[in-house]
Amino acid sequence: MNNTPLKHTNEPGKPSTFDVVQKSLAKRRAAEHRFRFYGIAGIVLALAFLLVLFVNIFGKGYTAFVQTQIRLDIYFERAVLDPDGTDTEDALSKADYTLLIKKSLSGLFPEVNSRRDKRNLYALISSGASYKLRALVLNDAGLVGKTSSVWLPVNDDIDILFKGHIDREAKQSDRRVNDRQLDFIDRLVAENRLEKQFSSTFFTDGDSREPELAGIRGALTGSLLTLLGTFLLSFPIGVATAVYLEEFAPVNKWTDFIEINVNNLAAVPSIVFGLLGLAMFINFFGLPRSTPIVGCLVLTLMTLPTIIIAGRASLKSVPPSIREAALGIGASKLQTIFDHVLPLAIPGMLTGAIIGMARALGETAPLLMIGMVAFIVDIPGGFSDPSTVLPVQIYLWADSPERAFVEKTSAAIMVLLVFLIAMNGLAVYLRKLYERRW
Amino acid sequence: MNYVKDLETKANYSMTKKIISDALSAPEIDRESRTTVGKITSDDPRVVCKNVNVYYGENRAINDLSLEIGNHEVISFIGPSGCGKSTFLRTLNRMNDTIVSCRVSGEIKIDGKNIYDRDLDVVPLRAMVGMVFQKPNPFPKSIYDNVAYGPRIHGLAADKRELDAIVEESLKKAGLWDEVKDRLNDLGTGLSGGQQQRLCIARTIAVNPEIILMDEPCSALDPIATAKIEQLIAELSERFTIVIVTHSMQQAARVSQRTAYFHIGHLIEVGRTNDIFTNPKHPLTEDYITGRFG
């Protein structure tokens, strides 16, 4: 600042406001810059964490969509498939397909004779391979009696070896693939019989004890059913409650009491809702355990307070002038609410509901209590079929000892994240769609 | 001749003397008096209020107000901010019901029926006593739907054709038809402030009320839009009874036949607008009119 005498002063000897403000300007600007820096730093930090999370999950998970396959020339021997010569589908579906695979492998390695070597050899192939053969034959009975070249999944240990997660130089006792098997594999690779291929198994199959056969479809269907039920139950009840509390309820101690309790419920740990669901829905009402119907009832209890609070907030934000306008021309209270207030509040309510849904999607603890943590292979066909959900599936896989489940876990997290992003995107889209000016 | 002239002069003199002495001897109204001055009755009353008190919780916003509002009359309520004129206006169609702490005692009769009767439903009352608010508040819907909403909920139109006719007629009466006839499906909130207020008036008259309450309808508008609304009020007064609250004394003088002056919860003076503005009786009214306060 310059020290020249101040020109424009109303009172001699006193600095003018302009100069005083001019002097304080540097400090104000510094404060502004500092604040902006904090904000940007916060965002950068958050983005960095998000990036680390994504890189980590994608880096580990992308291999789950690829599966090592082995090309075998299978002779669909009539004597094995249909020993009695009945030529019925029943016989074909009961036949011993594993034997076909074993025979094919023995053909490739004729020198393998000892029991131990045979076991090592046969262990290369996934136990699910025989199901694949059976599906092929049942689909096309003309294969019987012919030889066909078929790609079959290998065992998860071999898959992991192929994806580079097993150290070949390690001591034999420290790795899941022994030297003899390595030898077999090297010879198969030399014959171009082993290859990594895209596999849809992950998206089309349910859970399995065998990592190479495990898929997300069961958990995904379970999650979809549970969330659908949760939304159908919690949104109408939540909106109705919010409208009643905000518009109709008399202002008295009871209403205050209810409001406090709704707010408290929103903060109750979710496992408590799980215990409540176990005690009430399963033990008292006798609903089937491990099912989406119980899951969505429990998650509805958990989501309701969120939806009610968001609903009330968005009802409050509707300007009173709109209510006055409707009341002023003789609309009844119900008409005012349904024709004018609710349409304006719905975007906010939907946003609140979808945020609640997103929370319900990621919820694990209460579902453990109602048995949705069970190992379920079948894909649920309805609300009363036993099923599991995405976060519980992640928990189950993360808890499994096989190395191959690591990539499955990450892949399941990716599916969950996609689901979450889609739901949040929907919330933003709906808000934009229904947002109106007034 | 002289004698006659003398007589005339004498007569003139005595008349002048009488007028002056009358004026001097007319009891000067005490500034602290809160009794309503002027003629509160009407020859052809539509609304009759007797000893109305309005409370917000413990706080009395209107004290013992009695007033009659005549048929097809435009009456304006003036007074400083917080004097209770809007509060009183809103008691006439029970808009104050929406305020939880608000309580009304006394008697307000419209066409002989007490509107604070326990059995009375506010829906027909508000259909009969329409209201235009201070800030234009069109619904965030199309211009058409804004006007059609009232007739729709009250079942005033048998079919779409009738409804169209009502909408057109109401917009014409509100002087808005020519400006919006080609864009009836546009949002009502997209109009200018003055147009929005006329849309609100159209919405009110679409229900075909008997009485229209206007709560400072021009306070958010520019002078040109204000002039349009004032002209509209003059036209509407042929068919409706209009009660208008205004902060502008010029406006009160221009649009209304009667004027009521409020002061902190009391109705101080009522009379013909001309009288109020040229010859206020109560000192408080005079102070307000002459701009000494308010």
Side-chain angles (χ1 to χ4, degrees), chain A residues 94-108:
Chain A
K94 281 180 182 164
D96 185 4
Y97 291 94
T98 318
L99 190 58
L100 296 180
I101 297 168
K102 285 178 180 170
K103 285 189 170 183
S104 171
L105 280 173
S106 300
L108 285 174

Side-chain angles (χ1 to χ4, degrees), chain A residues 321 324-325 327 329-330 339-340, chain B residues 90 123 126 137 141 149 154:
Chain A
S321 65
E324 283 190 332
L327 291 173
I329 50 172
D339 295 346
H340 301 289
Chain B
R90 292 162 69 96
V123 166
R126 288 182 190 152
N137 56 353
K141 299 179 185 235
Y149 182 70
H154 296 308

Side-chain angles (χ1 to χ4, degrees), chain B residues 17-208:
Chain B
K17 197 178 164 192
K18 188 176 183 301
I19 290 169
I20 291 169
S21 72
D22 276 4
L24 288 173
S25 65
E28 177 73 24
I29 295 166
D30 181 18
R31 180 174 288 276
E32 298 310 314
S33 160
R34 293 292 182 268
T35 327
T36 308
V37 181
K39 190 182 168 213
I40 57 168
T41 54
S42 165
D43 299 332
D44 178 16
R46 230 29 253 251
V47 184
V48 180
C49 311
K50 267 186 204 154
N51 305 105
V52 176
N53 287 286
V54 182
Y55 304 84
Y56 290 122
E58 295 297 303
N59 190 6
R60 186 145 73 159
I62 298 284
N63 297 273
D64 260 340
L65 189 153
S66 298
L67 180 68
E68 288 182 7
I69 297 168
N71 198 12
H72 288 204
E73 149 179 287
V74 180
I75 180 168
S76 55
F77 294 172
I78 58 170
S81 296
C83 65
K85 53 196 190 307
S86 285
T87 299
F88 178 63
L89 185 79
R90 292 162 69 96
T91 59
L92 297 179
N93 69 345
R94 290 182 60 176
M95 278 305 279
N96 279 339
D97 285 15
T98 53
I99 300 162
V100 179
S101 64
C102 182
R103 201 160 47 80
V104 178
S105 75
E107 194 182 70
I108 299 177
K109 281 184 172 173
I110 295 181
D111 295 342
K113 204 183 286 170
N114 187 0
I115 62 166
Y116 279 88
D117 206 358
R118 199 174 279 272
D119 304 331
L120 186 122
D121 194 331
V122 292
V123 166
L125 170 70
R126 288 182 190 152
M128 195 179 88
V129 186
M131 186 148 189
V132 177
F133 297 85
Q134 182 171 1
K135 205 175 145 235
N137 56 353
F139 300 129
K141 299 179 185 235
S142 72
I143 293 169
Y144 183 93
D145 284 339
N146 259 288
V147 184
Y149 182 70
R152 247 184 218 144
I153 56 169
H154 296 308
L156 299 181
D159 52 31
K160 175 90 171 90
R161 208 167 41 80
E162 264 182 54
L163 192 61
D164 287 348
I166 292 178
V167 170
E168 182 176 342
E169 200 198 325
S170 307
L171 284 170
K172 272 181 180 158
K173 275 187 206 152
L176 194 61
W177 176 252
D178 289 331
E179 290 160 61
V180 300
K181 64 182 173 199
D182 300 321
R183 45 176 178 143
L184 288 176
N185 289 321
D186 287 10
L187 274 182
T189 41
L191 296 172
S192 74
Q195 288 174 325
Q196 285 189 17
Q197 194 61 298
R198 277 180 285 151
L199 179 63
C200 292
I201 293 174
R203 180 176 68 190
T204 305
I205 58 185
V207 184
N208 201 17

